[in-house]
Amino acid sequence: MPEYPEYLAAVVFAAGGVVNALLAPHRFSTAVLFCLAVTSAGLGVAARSAPAHPAVATVLAVAALLLALALGLLLLADGVLLVRRYGPQAALLATGGAGCAVLAVLGLDAVFHTVGGEAFGAFVVAVNAAAGYLTLLFLVFAGYVFLRGRSAPLPETTHVVVLGAGLDGGRPGPLLARRLERALAIDATRAPDTPRMVFVVSGGQGDDEVRSEADAMADYLRGRGVPADRIAREDRSVNTGQNLRFSAALVDGTTPGHRATVVTSGFHVYRTTLLARRVGVPVHVVGAPTSPAYWLAATLREFAAVLWLDRLPLIGLSLLLAVPVATAVFAH
């Protein structure tokens, strides 16, 4: 049996990350494997370096504590701010709930240092391993979202597809208006002697909406001077996957050899890219700016959606939780 199971797990995860980076450098699974490697190594360092180097262990523990405390308070404060501004929506409540969860883990650590106990200690180690892994993965994901949200549009774009979002009455809400303005900005950068782009507005009518998002977007673009013959409507979709599939079918049927750029909110670019690859739609995705107060909550929602879309992060969490169990078994 291996003497240091955490380090062995870290090596295995890191090797998998290197292989994955070479074969599929843009997949989030690469980040998952490297986060598993770092967390596993961290468990080994924490278990074996604390007795020999108490000062170093204390500094690392305080740094981790401050980082977790800052993240928990930031999520909680952002959730409270957004709920007060927009009302108790599920995604906004989840942001505050995530902050409370981070603070609860810190509280559990404090209780363990007061109460102690071997069985309770094993439970605390498992909780900290899961929390550390998910926190690290979220921070990496947020970096992915930040960078991918600033992608430039394809040169020689022929069609710009604007993905729908919630309406404010019968008009585009602030989030959707920013997407439309981003699409208009892409069109404005075209040279005067090149063919003008076609705007594909994609979005059906939600249960709480008085009209389709596509109709509202088309009216907005006409109000900004875009001729009706340069606007194509896709008004059946109710989610991002359908936005992509239905818009692609609409464009393919009218313009063979087109080059499409999809516009969505910056925080949504990465997941839209994943979905486009999954449904086989060859498009390039760019982002529109988002309110800084809303960005964190939206990114957290996207993180949860990617965890559900790509089960590897959750599988990795199960593997990671096996490390403390293996350590306890080998220790006896």
Side-chain angles (χ1 to χ4, degrees):
M1 290 183 290
E3 186 177 359
Y4 302 115
E6 306 97 331
Y7 296 143
L8 176 62
V11 170
V12 172
F13 289 138
V18 171
V19 171
N20 205 62
L22 294 174
L23 298 178
H26 300 297
R27 293 190 60 186
F28 190 58
S29 54
T30 302
V32 171
L33 290 166
F34 281 124
C35 286
L36 286 169
V38 171
T39 308
S40 299
L43 286 172
V45 171
R48 291 173 175 81
S49 297
H53 307 283
V56 175
T58 300
V59 171
L60 293 176
V62 170
L65 173 65
L66 292 177
L67 176 62
L69 182 62
L71 180 61
L73 292 175
L74 181 61
L75 287 169
L76 180 58
D78 194 49
V80 171
L81 173 67
L82 292 174
V83 167
R84 291 181 63 181
R85 181 178 298 180
Y86 301 110
Q89 303 175 24
L92 308 184
L93 292 171
T95 304
C100 290
V102 173
L103 297 177
V105 172
L106 297 179
L108 184 66
D109 290 341
V111 171
F112 169 67
H113 285 295
T114 302
V115 176
E118 186 174 349
F120 187 38
F123 172 72
V124 170
V125 169
V127 170
N128 276 285
Y133 163 68
L134 290 174
T135 299
L136 182 60
L137 195 60
F138 173 69
L139 293 175
V140 172
F141 179 80
Y144 265 59
V145 168
F146 182 82
L147 294 175
R148 295 300 292 269
R150 283 152 179 75
S151 299
L154 285 174
E156 301 179 4
T157 294
T158 60
H159 291 71
V160 57
V161 180
V162 185
L163 302 190
L167 301 181
D168 183 5
R171 299 169 56 84
L175 199 69
L176 185 52
R178 290 190 181 98
R179 297 181 185 183
L180 292 163
E181 290 297 328
R182 179 75 167 102
L184 289 166
I186 293 172
D187 182 54
T189 61
R190 304 272 292 179
D193 57 344
T194 58
R196 308 311 296 171
M197 292 190 310
V198 174
F199 293 83
V200 181
V201 289
S202 177
Q205 181 176 346
D207 294 336
D208 58 344
E209 293 175 330
V210 299
R211 63 193 303 206
S212 74
E213 294 165 4
D215 286 345
M217 287 190 280
D219 286 350
Y220 184 97
L221 291 174
R222 285 199 302 270
R224 295 282 276 107
V226 179
D229 61 359
R230 290 179 55 207
I231 302 172
R233 306 186 195 197
E234 184 288 296
D235 59 3
R236 297 183 297 131
S237 56
V238 296
N239 56 50
T240 303
Q242 290 183 2
N243 285 140
L244 295 167
R245 290 198 308 272
F246 296 165
S247 297
L250 178 65
V251 176
D252 288 343
T254 58
T255 316
H258 65 275
R259 302 192 71 179
T261 292
V262 173
V263 175
T264 185
S265 298
F267 61 81
H268 192 227
V269 168
Y270 183 68
R271 182 159 67 95
T272 302
T273 303
L274 292 180
L275 286 169
R277 291 173 183 164
R278 177 163 294 192
V279 301
V281 178
V283 294
H284 181 69
V285 188
V286 301
T290 308
S291 165
Y294 188 67
W295 187 87
L296 183 61
T299 301
L300 182 63
R301 184 188 65 191
E302 293 296 299
F303 178 63
V306 168
L307 290 182
W308 183 255
L309 180 67
D310 184 355
R311 307 300 171 84
L312 180 61
L314 298 180
I315 295 172
L317 177 59
S318 301
L319 294 173
L320 180 64
L321 291 178
V323 174
V325 174
T327 303
V329 170
F330 295 143
H332 289 82

